[in-house]
Amino acid sequence: MTDYDVIVAGGGAAGVGAALGAAKAGARVCLVEKYGFLGGAATNAQVLAYCGFFQRGEDPVQVIRGAGEEVLATLDGMGVDRTAYRSPTTGNWIVLLDPERLKLGLDRVLADRGIDVMLHTRISGAVRDGDRISEVTLAGMDGAFQAQAGAYVDATGDANLSLVAGQAMQVGDGEGRLQASTVPIRIGGLPAGLRIDRQKMQAAIAEFNHRSEHKIDRHDAGIYTKVTGTNDFWWLVIDRAMPDLTSASFTKAEQTGREMAHTLVEVLRDTVEGFEGAWLAQTGPQLGIRETRHPAARYDVTHDDVLSGRQSDQGVARAAWPIELHTEAGKPIYEFVGGEGFFHVPFDAIRAEGLENLYYGGRVIGADPHAYGSIRVMGTAFGTGEAAGVAAALTSGAGTAPEVEALQGALIGVGALV
Ligand SMILES: Cc1cc2nc3c(=O)[nH]c(=O)nc-3n(C[C@H](O)[C@H](O)[C@H](O)COP(=O)(O)OP(=O)(O)OC[C@H]3O[C@@H](n4cnc5c(N)ncnc54)[C@H](O)[C@@H]3O)c2cc1C
């Protein structure tokens, strides 16, 4: 049996935020990640931009500091350009990512804080004892073993710790509808300085739809940019509707997405000037999953919280990314944050209903289907993850959940904005 103060499940933005927050608050921390690297969707699904670090508007007003800022500063120190870029069409600010330097930077930042990282290891079981999780089962390369902590953070994106702990769940929007998944693709072999003409990309999609039995629904040519520091082209255009959470559906989405990615690059080579030498540099390792299941929290952030930019004396993290819904594949819908340009995530949204020592970070926090379209981005996940990690550290130390004022004070103490 291995003992920790805090065990964090998942090593995406939320898990990294949670582990850093808990360690800075003095806890002995273990982070468990099923892949061989950290970063979550940024490194396992080629989601190559951090959204949610800044408010929308003329100037980049930062709403996530603390652990998220520590990661950006580490990347900066490794020569990654952390400049925020503003979309001329939406007014949103993003930070572009280099996935390989991100993996290395995250290894370093967690090592510097003395966090035990277990890669190739997944949370596969949990023992629930009344209103507490008493231990978890970790399945690694050398088999399964038990580990104990005073408190736990579910930062798995898919609520896998909560699932094995028997927490109540809602799939998708409550009626079972799931946000579409997307296969982000990275295309190499392009000349320096190539200017992308959206109309030509739209024409390529029309040609793709003519050639392929699987169709691309994003007739507007989707979202694309250059991969920072390279001539590679990053494209979010292949959406796959997810009917359910069965392995059969995920297998089909992965396989058809892959077929489509190869055919799309063939079409670009054949039809778009500048793409004659293009090749598919990367998909994956897995497709980008927007939504799976939501574990029961003590509060769900609401559509109105986002639209009104609601601030709260219960707030433990700020969130500023607009609502971005992909309920119908290929037809995203946007709604912007009101008020001063950010809303608060209240403490109860990161607390598991009915469990005293389980916290949520990232896209598993409590949110209604509209608010979920905002809170799931990675910048915000650093913030909610850090709040969950610090709350877990305090819970482990005291044996009981902290008062919100104590948590807010501890978060400010570790450099977070609340
Ligand atoms: C196509 C697409 C485009 C997107 N575009 C953007 C964008 O441009 N910018 C942005 O900020 N956000 C974007 N998002 C949203 C964002 O990527 C996710 O919502 C975000 O990554 C959530 O962070 P997280 O840390 O909660 O989860 P994740 O990033 O999913 O990380 C969860 C981690 O937990 C691990 N894990 C899962 N189960 C277990 C287990 N049982 N044991 C151990 N480890 C486990 C996973 O391997 C993973 O590393 C996009 C999402 C998609 C799908």
Side-chain angles (χ1 to χ4, degrees):
M1 180 79 74
T2 314
D3 277 343
Y4 289 95
D5 298 322
V6 174
I7 292 177
V8 177
V16 168
L20 288 174
K24 285 187 286 179
R28 183 158 178 260
V29 184
C30 172
L31 181 148
V32 183
E33 166 56 48
K34 70 177 179 181
Y35 279 105
F37 49 84
L38 302 172
T43 50
N44 71 32
Q46 300 293 309
V47 175
L48 298 182
Y50 279 151
C51 300
F53 267 92
F54 301 94
Q55 288 179 204
R56 176 169 168 264
E58 288 294 313
D59 298 309
V61 178
Q62 201 164 334
V63 286
I64 299 295
R65 291 195 182 274
E69 174 56 33
E70 203 169 325
V71 169
L72 291 185
T74 301
L75 293 175
D76 192 42
M78 295 168 70
V80 179
D81 179 9
R82 62 163 286 182
T83 314
Y85 291 96
R86 184 170 187 256
S87 154
T89 40
T90 63
N92 290 310
W93 295 88
I94 60 170
V95 178
L96 295 174
L97 295 171
D98 162 355
E100 292 307 321
R101 279 186 289 180
L102 178 60
K103 289 177 192 170
L104 183 62
L106 295 177
D107 285 343
R108 288 179 177 173
V109 96
L110 267 63
D112 285 349
R113 293 279 177 193
I115 294 160
D116 277 0
V117 175
M118 289 190 202
L119 302 178
H120 290 287
T121 306
R122 59 173 74 216
I123 295 263
S124 63
V127 176
R128 194 175 177 133
D129 182 6
D131 64 357
R132 308 184 81 77
I133 293 177
S134 58
E135 66 179 53
V136 290
T137 305
L138 307 180
M141 296 297 271
D142 51 352
F145 59 99
Q146 313 305 316
Q148 262 185 349
Y152 300 82
V153 177
D154 187 342
T156 61
D158 300 327
N160 286 323
L161 168 55
S162 306
L163 185 70
V164 294
Q167 192 66 345
M169 299 280 162
Q170 174 176 299
V171 172
D173 65 0
E175 289 165 38
R177 280 179 307 196
L178 295 157
Q179 303 280 305
S181 287
T182 299
V183 181
I185 59 175
R186 178 171 175 162
I187 300 172
L190 306 180
L194 177 68
R195 286 210 48 212
I196 305 292
D197 178 331
R198 190 171 280 273
Q199 280 182 345
K200 290 191 178 149
M201 302 314 271
Q202 288 173 305
I205 289 168
E207 173 59 19
F208 171 94
N209 283 341
H210 179 65
R211 281 192 204 180
S212 167
E213 63 172 301
H214 309 293
K215 306 301 173 199
I216 290 179
D217 302 305
R218 289 215 200 183
H219 303 284
D220 64 353
I223 296 170
Y224 55 72
T225 185
K226 252 179 63 172
V227 179
T228 185
T230 74
N231 295 324
D232 290 1
F233 178 69
W234 175 62
W235 203 4
L236 296 183
V237 74
I238 301 176
D239 288 348
R240 300 279 77 204
M242 296 306 304
D244 53 45
L245 297 182
T246 60
S247 293
S249 294
F250 277 89
T251 304
K252 188 169 171 215
E254 292 279 6
Q255 292 177 338
T256 53
R258 206 161 14 252
E259 286 283 353
M260 292 169 77
H262 282 272
T263 306
L264 182 57
V265 175
E266 262 170 44
V267 170
L268 292 174
R269 265 201 307 267
D270 292 351
T271 64
V272 182
E273 200 182 329
F275 280 77
E276 294 81 2
W279 58 287
L280 183 59
Q282 189 160 16
T283 62
Q286 66 165 54
L287 91 168
I289 299 168
R290 280 204 182 73
E291 184 175 32
T292 48
R293 55 181 92 79
H294 306 276
R298 297 178 190 214
Y299 178 75
D300 286 342
V301 179
T302 67
H303 191 187
D304 192 52
D305 290 342
V306 182
L307 295 186
S308 64
R310 182 162 293 130
Q311 297 180 24
S312 152
D313 57 8
Q314 303 291 304
V316 293
R318 295 184 182 193
W321 193 252
I323 293 171
E324 189 185 322
L325 294 178
H326 294 257
T327 311
E328 201 179 338
K331 300 188 175 55
I333 295 169
Y334 296 90
E335 286 181 293
F336 295 108
V337 179
E340 282 179 47
F342 74 89
F343 60 93
H344 270 134
V345 174
F347 185 25
D348 277 351
I350 64 164
R351 295 186 73 187
E353 191 174 75
L355 278 167
E356 279 300 301
N357 68 344
L358 175 63
Y359 293 95
Y360 301 144
R363 64 185 175 89
V364 297
I365 70 166
D368 76 17
H370 283 89
Y372 179 71
S374 163
I375 58 83
R376 65 190 173 84
V377 293
M378 294 184 279
T380 309
F382 275 112
T384 57
E386 180 151 44
V390 172
L394 298 179
T395 303
S396 181
T400 171
E403 296 296 326
V404 68
E405 295 80 9
L407 174 57
Q408 289 165 334
L411 281 165
I412 291 165
V414 299
L417 275 180
V418 291

